[in-house]
Every structure is written in C-alpha cells, then in structure tokens.
Amino acid sequence: SQTIHQWPATLVQPVGSPLSLECTVEGTSNPNLYWYRQAAGRGLQLLFYSVGIGQISSEVPQNLSASRPQDRQFILSSKKLLLSDSGFYLCAWSNRASNQPQHFGDGTRLSIL
Amino acid sequence: GQQLNQSPQSMFIQEGEDVSMNCTSSSIFNTWLWYKQDPGEGPVLLIALYKAGELTSNGRLTAQFGITRKDSFLNISASIPSDVGIYFCAGQLRGTSGSRLTFGEGTQLTVNP
C-alpha cells in the first residue's frame, strides 16, 4: 500500500532563517505531488504541484520554493522565512491518472518567531 | 477560477443526531471528494464520487454527486463524539493540469456527548 511521510512534524524557526520541509511517498511510482498551506485549521491553499522530476508549478507568488529531486521526494524551501510563513504545511500525492483523489501526509506545524 | 461554497461553516450537535453539509460550485466538476481532518493531522479521504447522480455510502456517511455536477452533499447519521473535526469538500475537473483540486472552506463539526 502507499504511504506518505512528512517531516518534521513541528518546527520553530526565527525570522530570516532558511527552511527545508521534506515529503516522501512510498508504494507508488510517478505520482503527482502537492504542497499546501493551511492557516488557522481552515482552507487549504495550494502552493506548488509537480507532475514529474524537476517539474514544479507554482500557484501563488510567495517567499517559498519547491523542488522534486527524485520521483517520490518533494521538498519545500525558503531562503529567508517571514512571519507570514507560519502555518500548517501539508504534502499530498495522487496517481498520475486523471480524476484520482489526493492523499495527504500528517503535516508540519511551522511557527516563525 | 472555480470556487466552492461549503456550508455550514460550523455545526454544534448532540451525539446521536444526523448531520448534513453541502458544497456548491459556479461550474461543473467531474469528481467530488469529501475529506475529514482531525486536529493536527492531514485530511483523510472519506468518499470519492465520479458520476453525476452517484450516491455512495461509507459506514454512517453518505455522499451524493449532484445531477448538475455543480454540487455535492455529505450526510452523517447517528453522530458520535469521534465525528468531531473539519470536513472538506473538493472538486476536480478532468484534464486539469496536475489533477488539481478546488477545496471548500470546511465545515467544523462539534459533537456534544
């Protein structure tokens, strides 16, 4: 069966520090991968999605970037964090075939001080 | 772009009561999904609907894909305390790049024992 892992589960970072959140998927090949941000437990905002290695699409302009160095690895990064980057970050995957549901990881709670 | 209106935003009910929530869209979708999110965790897929008019059950949960393809509802029968959480609807349009989903803003469900 397929599983998705995100780490770390929680992170506290000072303003201006760099960020790297990692997401890996097991038990499937060529998945679509997604990064979402969720503020205050409501409303998932799609940040990035990827349909293949090295292919990243950005949904909203922001202080963050994403990379997909391997088929089942998706990384969310920032060079200098802002206070507004605080939130709950969720990674998700779906099968490449059309109309397949997305499956989410357990998220990373990011707090910027 | 497409928008989903999910209602109600929150519900406070007594254990044993039935619950109904719905989502409407200004445009059609090919797939409707319902997720539940517990505090501090990622959303978990409850029900996926793929055809207009489809009615699908998962235990005490029943969801329907509206005949116009612009709406969906989720019913929970005989609610129990563990039903507490945020419920999200999501729509998907076939052929959308990356199989992206459009999410509703969520329904916060509180069940009083």
Side-chain angles (χ1 to χ4, degrees), chain B residues 20-102:
Chain B
S20 184
M21 59 192 79
N22 69 85
C23 278
T24 59
S25 170
S26 57
S27 52
I28 64 172
F29 287 110
N30 299 112
T31 301
W32 280 95
L33 306 169
W34 284 93
Y35 290 86
K36 183 197 176 196
Q37 185 178 27
D38 291 329
E41 299 182 11
V44 174
L45 181 67
L46 298 174
I47 292 178
L49 302 159
Y50 297 103
K51 291 195 295 188
E54 179 181 357
L55 183 70
T56 297
S57 293
N58 177 7
R60 293 177 297 105
L61 278 61
T62 302
Q64 183 158 32
F65 192 143
I67 200 72
T68 65
R69 296 201 287 162
K70 293 183 179 181
D71 63 302
S72 177
F73 71 74
L74 174 71
N75 288 342
I76 305 174
S77 63
S79 59
I80 59 178
S82 62
D83 290 333
V84 166
I86 303 177
Y87 291 79
F88 291 99
C89 63
Q92 189 177 61
L93 188 60
R94 185 179 296 122
T96 300
S97 174
S99 297
R100 286 166 291 160
L101 296 176
T102 301

Side-chain angles (χ1 to χ4, degrees), chain A residues 32 34 36 38 41-44 46 49 51 59 88 90 94 96-107, chain B residues 9 30-31 33 35 37 40-43 45 50 86 88 92-95 97-101 103 105-108:
Chain A
N32 290 333
Y34 311 85
Y36 290 86
Q38 186 178 34
R42 303 291 292 268
L44 285 80
L46 180 62
Y49 69 93
V51 299
E59 286 293 289
F88 191 49
L90 290 158
S94 70
R96 188 69 61 84
S98 181
N99 280 28
Q100 295 300 303
Q102 293 177 18
H103 303 276
F104 288 83
D106 283 335
Chain B
Q9 284 190 335
N30 299 112
T31 301
L33 306 169
Y35 290 86
Q37 185 178 27
E41 299 182 11
L45 181 67
Y50 297 103
I86 303 177
F88 291 99
Q92 189 177 61
L93 188 60
R94 185 179 296 122
S97 174
S99 297
R100 286 166 291 160
L101 296 176
F103 280 89
E105 286 297 302
T107 296
Q108 173 75 62

Side-chain angles (χ1 to χ4, degrees), chain A residues 26-38:
Chain A
E26 297 176 356
T28 188
S29 297
N30 303 316
N32 290 333
L33 295 171
Y34 311 85
W35 278 112
Y36 290 86
R37 177 168 53 208
Q38 186 178 34

